[in-house]
Amino acid sequence: MIHAKSDYSVDRRLVMVSGVAILIGAVSTFAAAALLALIHFFTNLFFYQRLSWEVVSPAQNALGLAVILVPAIGGLLVGLMARYGSDKIRGHGIPEAMETILFGKSQMSPRVAVLKPISSGIVIGSGGPFGAEGPIIMTGGSLGSLVAQYLHLTAAERKTLLVAGACAGMTAIFSTPVAALLLAVELLLFELRPRSLLPVALACAVAGFLRGLVFPAGPLFPLQTEPVSMMALVSCVVAGLLCGALAVLLTFALYKTEDCFHKLPVHWMWWPAIGGLIVGIGGYLEPRALGMGYDVIGDLLNGHLLVAAAISLLAVKAVIWVVALGSGTSGGVLAPLLILGAGLGVLLAPYLPGASPELWALVCMAGVLGSTLGAPLTAIVFAFGLTHDSEALLPLMLTTAVAYGLTTLTLKRSIMTEKIARRGLHIFREYGADPLERQHVSDLMSARIIAIDGTIPVADALSHYYDDYNLDRVYPVTSEGRVLGMVDYPTLRAHRHSLARCADVLAPLLPEHVLLPNATARFAAGRMAQLEVSCLPVVQDLDSMNLIGTVSLRDLLRPNRSFIEEETFREKMR
């Protein structure tokens, strides 16, 4: 029960949840290291036929034409794991986490926590054109969810710990704790409250500190570009428009490809293997298109690739990524989008004045990422966190904003939410202050109280307070100003032939059956939904139980009416 007006709805459980989040942040850091080690192990096994944890790229393999079969074998293994293990391992991680949070009460199974990193290790290790961030987001999220289930926490607390694990894993992979926190806000939490933001922030901070124990320190792709000139303003707008166009094209191509796989006359278990054949052909033509490609990102940002080489690499990467992801295999989207965005910047650099060529690879990388995911703040801070290039902040902001604006005007859903929508589940991505959170019970309650005296016989109450026009009315029952409960027509009618008084037919009154004047309208609405009632009494305090008003569902509609007026009514200057 809320006793006083406050800016935030928090209690002491926040301390406990934050402590658990710190532990999950630490565990997710080492889980990220384990996932990368697993990817390197399978890369050595598939492409070099050796048992080793050495960091290698599949691009240096000497398999010749046999390389075409390697991704298909990996896809076949994952298809079998998905069919006979858990189909939750399919996909790129973030949409699955979003669906679990919004529609699955943040409950993940231990099977997913084990199979997701193994399947991702097999797919990426066999040449799948994905990054490790999607799988680690799902794996870290699974760890957080499992711990919350073991501790018997609420669904809201499970969500917080799921997201804490997911974002801590992303922090460990990329060393971008602030961007991971923003990813939580823009894509996973679906709220901006201390109860969730603080634990996730602590988990990301812990992962950022512990990352140095398992990964090299510093930014993943250090870069320092020159200050921009005024001409860069126009160039950023052009770059943003092209980034947005590429995001639209990639989203459209991905789901058209997925539709094509759904039309195949074979079980979905075989789709990753079929997609793997296309990946293998692309890997034979352009070996650097295989695998995570973090080295490719570094080369693109630092201008180490010629334009012709970049065009060939990016064309192959785009095709095999779309096909592989459309086949329903297991892998992430962040690293491929970074590569495609940076490649677009390399292609545009000779034609965009106002800044050094390296800047355009960086800003296009952020523009494509932010507009494709529908997460512009994450993309801006993510690009800065990867490079620590302070001179690029303003161009990053402008380019990403333009790209994001274009996609929001042209696409109904992002690459993340489209997958969920195809399962019949819609997600509304906008955040806003809830009108019911802005007003309190004291603002909305009706002070004109029509109450039934508890000593009145049931038959008399029926005849005096109910007729054919108000059978849905609910009345408070009182005794000397103290509320005893609420009564409705069906309750009284059921006892109409007895000699009972109104006070005798009431259920025992509990504190949750009344409202305090300082409770929010949102709290009142939630309590009515929980009790399945349309009206609740408002008391001065829980000690006196003195009735001062009532709140009905009709009263709770008033804040929403004001909200609609603010959104639609246009006023002239006074």
Side-chain angles (χ1 to χ4, degrees):
M1 179 67 70
I2 298 174
H3 294 279
K5 295 181 180 179
S6 172
D7 287 354
Y8 306 108
S9 57
V10 295
D11 54 35
R12 292 179 181 177
R13 290 185 65 84
L14 175 61
V15 178
M16 181 274 293
V17 174
S18 297
V20 179
I22 290 173
L23 175 63
I24 290 172
V27 174
S28 295
T29 303
F30 295 102
L35 175 61
L36 287 180
L38 199 61
I39 292 172
H40 298 318
F41 172 80
F42 283 115
T43 302
N44 280 282
L45 181 62
F46 279 113
F47 289 96
Y48 303 100
Q49 297 77 56
R50 63 194 181 198
L51 300 177
S52 172
W53 307 96
E54 182 184 350
V55 179
V56 293
S57 168
Q60 280 77 47
N61 74 85
L63 295 177
L65 280 172
V67 75
I68 296 175
L69 297 178
V70 173
I73 294 172
L76 178 60
L77 292 174
V78 170
L80 291 168
M81 291 173 65
R83 181 172 183 179
Y84 298 107
S86 172
D87 62 355
K88 299 295 184 183
I89 67 174
R90 303 173 70 212
H92 36 113
I94 298 179
E96 289 72 24
M98 295 168 72
E99 183 177 348
T100 301
I101 289 167
L102 287 177
F103 305 104
K105 294 187 177 181
S106 301
Q107 291 178 325
M108 289 187 176
S109 68
R111 189 174 293 183
V112 173
V114 174
L115 293 181
K116 185 65 177 183
I118 295 175
S119 64
S120 299
I122 292 173
V123 168
I124 302 173
S126 63
F130 305 112
E133 62 290 328
I136 191 56
I137 284 174
M138 194 70 169
T139 302
S142 298
L143 292 173
S145 176
L146 291 175
V147 171
Q149 291 176 64
Y150 177 78
L151 296 175
H152 301 110
L153 302 185
T154 66
E157 292 165 339
R158 278 199 306 272
K159 175 185 70 174
T160 297
L161 294 182
L162 185 158
V163 176
C167 294
M170 177 180 168
T171 297
I173 293 289
F174 286 115
S175 187
T176 53
V178 181
L181 182 60
L182 288 173
L183 180 79
V185 173
E186 291 191 300
L187 286 179
L188 297 174
L189 287 175
F190 297 95
E191 65 180 25
L192 187 57
R193 296 183 173 185
R195 69 174 190 179
S196 54
L197 188 67
L198 291 178
V200 174
L202 291 172
C204 292
V206 168
F209 276 107
L210 294 181
R211 184 182 186 275
L213 298 177
V214 290
F215 297 110
L220 207 58
F221 309 112
L223 186 68
Q224 188 59 53
T225 56
E226 300 174 0
V228 298
S229 68
M230 286 296 295
M231 282 300 297
L233 175 66
V234 177
S235 296
C236 286
V237 173
V238 173
L241 292 173
L242 293 174
C243 288
L246 179 59
V248 171
L249 178 62
L250 290 172
T251 303
F252 179 79
L254 172 61
Y255 288 105
K256 281 296 181 182
T257 303
E258 190 173 283
D259 290 340
C260 292
F261 274 100
H262 278 279
K263 294 176 182 178
L264 293 177
V266 295
H267 192 277
W268 57 258
M269 179 189 74
W270 302 102
W271 297 354
I274 297 171
L277 285 175
I278 307 299
V279 172
I281 295 172
Y284 176 73
L285 298 174
E286 190 61 65
R288 294 197 73 186
L290 296 173
M292 294 184 291
Y294 293 157
D295 57 330
V296 175
I297 297 173
D299 287 344
L300 290 169
L301 289 174
N302 290 283
H304 294 165
L305 286 179
L306 298 176
V307 173
I311 292 174
S312 173
L313 174 60
L314 296 171
V316 172
K317 185 77 175 183
V319 170
I320 64 175
W321 174 66
V322 166
V323 171
L325 203 57
S327 71
T329 192
S330 179
V333 301
L334 267 67
L337 290 175
L338 295 179
I339 292 174
L340 296 174
L344 175 63
V346 169
L347 301 183
L348 295 178
Y351 310 102
L352 296 179
S356 57
E358 295 81 7
L359 177 72
W360 302 118
L362 177 60
V363 299
C364 288
M365 183 177 77
V368 171
L369 181 68
S371 55
T372 307
L373 300 185
L377 297 180
T378 298
I380 294 167
V381 179
F382 188 58
F384 173 74
L386 288 175
T387 61
H388 289 193
D389 186 359
S390 57
E391 294 292 342
L393 272 176
L394 191 57
L396 280 171
M397 183 183 300
L398 180 55
T399 303
T400 306
V402 172
Y404 175 64
L406 179 62
T407 54
T408 54
L409 290 172
T410 54
L411 291 176
K412 290 183 178 180
R413 292 175 287 270
S414 72
I415 202 172
M416 295 296 168
T417 54
E418 177 66 29
K419 191 175 187 68
I420 302 172
R422 286 171 170 240
R423 297 171 185 158
L425 306 172
H426 178 66
I427 296 177
F428 190 66
R429 293 279 304 277
E430 292 184 2
Y431 294 132
D434 187 343
L436 294 179
E437 295 281 10
R438 293 173 4 199
Q439 293 196 283
H440 291 75
V441 167
S442 58
D443 304 321
L444 300 175
M445 70 180 189
S446 173
R448 293 182 57 196
I449 306 170
I450 302 178
I452 300 177
D453 192 312
T455 61
I456 295 178
V458 169
D460 291 348
L462 274 172
S463 61
H464 283 92
Y465 291 94
Y466 285 99
D467 54 37
D468 293 338
Y469 301 101
N470 67 341
L471 297 182
D472 59 343
R473 183 79 181 267
V474 181
Y475 291 98
V477 178
T478 61
S479 176
E480 298 180 353
R482 181 182 177 87
V483 66
L484 302 177
M486 302 290 287
V487 71
D488 56 12
Y489 178 75
T491 301
L492 294 178
R493 191 173 186 278
H495 298 84
R496 67 187 184 277
H497 298 305
S498 69
L499 299 177
R501 301 174 305 161
C502 290
D504 300 330
V505 302
L506 299 176
L509 185 67
L510 300 176
E512 53 264 33
H513 294 160
V514 298
L515 295 171
L516 294 177
N518 288 329
T520 65
R522 168 55 58 201
F523 179 86
R527 182 53 54 83
M528 289 183 190
Q530 181 184 20
L531 299 175
E532 298 183 349
V533 297
S534 60
C535 185
L536 283 174
V538 183
V539 298
Q540 187 172 351
D541 55 68
L542 294 179
D543 293 327
S544 69
M545 296 295 280
N546 183 36
L547 183 67
I548 61 174
T550 59
V551 170
S552 66
L553 290 177
R554 185 185 184 91
D555 297 323
L556 295 178
L557 293 177
R558 281 166 27 209
N560 287 286
R561 184 171 64 240
S562 299
F563 174 75
I564 295 298
E565 289 177 356
E566 292 175 5
E567 290 286 322
T568 59
F569 183 65
R570 299 182 182 183
E571 297 179 281
K572 295 181 179 179
M573 185 175 63
R574 296 179 180 178

